[in-house]
Amino acid sequence: MQRAEPQAFERVLSSMCTVPHPAAREAAERFLATNPGDPGTYQTVADLEREAVDILGEVAGLDDPAGYITSGGTEANIQAVRIARNRAETDDPNVVVPESAHFSFRKAAEMLGVDIRQVPTTDHRADVDATADIIDDDTVGVVGVAGTTEYGHVDPIPALADLAEDAGAIMHVDAAFGGFFLPFSDFAWDFEDAAIDTMTIDPHKAGQAAVPAGGFLARSTDYLDELTIDTPYLESESQFTLTGTRSGAGVASAVAAMEALWPTGYRDQYHTSMDNAHWLADRLAERGYRVVGPELPLIAADVSLELVNQLRGRGWRVTKTGSGEMRIVCMPHVTRSMLRSFVADLDWY
Ligand SMILES: Cc1ncc(COP(=O)(O)O)c(C=O)c1O
């Protein structure tokens, strides 16, 4: 096999992953051959996973949190839908999500036999009245997104949680992207702000951990009981995770990143990334583009597909939203000088 080098981040403007913090990289390498899926054998990493969940709980305003480090936001979202389905009594369960929700909910629906009902958004945010209208006796879960994938917008989480509570459904917040920015914003999004049952919050995105390190949180272990199956041949007797063998590297790197950065480093990063996103939004607006955001460090602008393709041809990794806008995520590796040279390239065409 030829030695392949990983891609550099210097022109990556679309990814929600980023350069891991040095401590996270080092921890990932050190724990490469460990498996938190077998905590009886790999006790050190199992202890570290408990630490990871405790810190995630602090980030998300939850005392005594339950949860684990997942393979990513997709797994965490699937587990949330699984809990909602398993604890409900209906034979025809549905989960209500805004149309801005990540496509992982569609995977969950297909695998779990749950109907996913998409609610229209207003200004890229879940519409509370439309959500209320669509909830019925078979609704087992309501999802709010705290930092949408396409626009970085935050749904009205407390209002959605009230609807879920009234319906006797689980309230799940998908803060996969937003979770490490939102504590420093004015948004109401966490377990202290609303009657949230479960949450996705990913260290391998703005948490600056190495991939794979997603995060799943639940208000108590009762929720995880809905997922538990027996594991007869392991020393531990049961498992609530979706995957069996799991990445100890992800777990260790999540702990290392969060210990290094929570809260001061993440706060500084939030401000730097927001400043960068505002700077770019202003430059694009000056050039006549219609810009959406930033609410979190993510903007979308109506740059033509042709121009986006030309920029891609110059090595820039930029993507489009479902509606065709250019989408840029100001993750920690995205610096002002990168953005200056991106704008210079934009002006060149
Ligand atoms: C809001 C949101 N939820 C879930 C996911 C899925 O996360 P992952 O790709 O880690 O499975 C993403 C990915 O970008 C996301 O933005």
Side-chain angles (χ1 to χ4, degrees):
M1 187 185 92
Q2 277 193 332
R3 188 182 157 86
E5 290 299 330
Q7 242 177 282
F9 272 94
E10 62 203 9
R11 293 204 158 201
V12 174
L13 296 178
S14 56
S15 180
M16 287 188 160
C17 292
T18 192
V19 180
H21 186 277
R25 183 185 290 274
E26 189 273 334
E29 278 177 18
R30 214 150 32 93
F31 279 78
L32 208 53
T34 62
N35 170 22
D38 179 3
T41 305
Y42 299 93
Q43 286 163 354
T44 310
V45 79
D47 291 345
L48 281 179
E49 185 161 37
R50 187 63 244 165
E51 272 182 53
V53 171
D54 284 344
I55 308 175
L56 281 176
E58 268 184 59
V59 176
L62 182 60
D63 288 336
D64 203 14
Y68 71 102
I69 297 299
T70 62
S71 56
T74 298
E75 180 181 339
N77 285 341
I78 291 170
Q79 292 286 69
V81 176
R82 208 173 140 216
I83 290 173
R85 183 199 66 173
N86 289 359
R87 75 193 269 280
E89 278 159 21
T90 169
D91 294 331
D92 190 18
N94 69 70
V95 170
V96 176
V97 308
E99 63 186 359
S100 54
H102 187 258
F103 52 75
S104 46
F105 290 101
R106 301 216 310 268
K107 297 183 184 177
E110 192 186 308
M111 285 190 288
L112 297 168
V114 172
D115 182 22
I116 291 288
R117 296 193 175 167
Q118 290 199 342
V119 186
T121 51
T122 307
D123 190 21
H124 307 296
R125 223 180 297 283
D127 185 308
V128 177
D129 292 337
T131 306
D133 287 346
I134 217 167
I135 289 175
D136 66 13
D137 292 345
D138 293 321
T139 300
V140 299
V142 175
V143 172
V145 189
T148 57
T149 313
E150 290 197 315
Y151 297 99
H153 276 38
V154 181
D155 287 334
I157 303 296
L160 295 176
D162 288 346
L163 294 180
E165 199 167 22
D166 291 347
I170 289 262
M171 177 66 202
H172 176 67
V173 172
D174 183 355
F177 165 63
F180 285 89
F181 293 124
L182 285 161
F184 315 106
S185 75
D186 292 332
F187 287 104
W189 69 285
D190 73 8
F191 286 88
E192 276 174 4
D193 295 322
I196 297 164
D197 298 287
T198 56
M199 180 180 284
T200 296
I201 171 167
D202 286 352
H204 74 196
K205 295 190 173 74
Q208 302 178 43
V211 177
F216 180 68
L217 286 178
R219 200 174 267 282
S220 75
T221 52
D222 294 351
Y223 295 88
L224 303 182
D225 291 345
E226 299 290 347
L227 304 172
T228 299
I229 49 105
D230 295 338
T231 51
Y233 72 88
L234 293 180
E235 279 172 77
S236 50
E237 284 166 9
S238 63
Q239 207 170 74
F240 50 75
T241 54
L242 193 58
T243 54
T245 298
R246 300 189 284 125
S247 171
V251 169
S253 109
V255 173
M258 292 190 291
E259 278 184 347
L261 295 168
W262 172 254
T264 312
Y266 291 132
R267 181 184 294 113
D268 293 348
Q269 189 58 57
Y270 167 75
H271 291 297
T272 304
S273 293
M274 282 305 286
D275 287 351
N276 281 337
H278 278 293
W279 183 88
L280 182 62
D282 291 347
R283 299 295 79 73
L284 292 170
E286 280 165 15
R287 285 158 176 78
Y289 295 109
R290 195 184 58 82
V291 181
V292 182
E295 271 197 4
L296 290 180
L298 197 169
I299 61 164
D302 60 350
V303 175
S304 71
L305 183 57
E306 189 193 356
L307 184 45
V308 168
N309 284 336
Q310 281 163 333
L311 290 163
R312 286 185 64 82
R314 286 177 87 92
W316 293 105
R317 299 293 127 220
V318 282
T319 51
K320 303 287 285 178
T321 65
S323 318
E325 297 124 321
M326 178 182 75
R327 169 182 164 276
I328 290 189
V329 194
C330 292
M331 293 299 283
H333 64 269
V334 175
T335 60
R336 187 65 62 89
S337 75
M338 260 171 89
L339 294 176
R340 278 187 213 288
S341 89
F342 176 73
V343 171
D345 276 2
L346 188 83
D347 286 344
W348 193 79
Y349 287 104

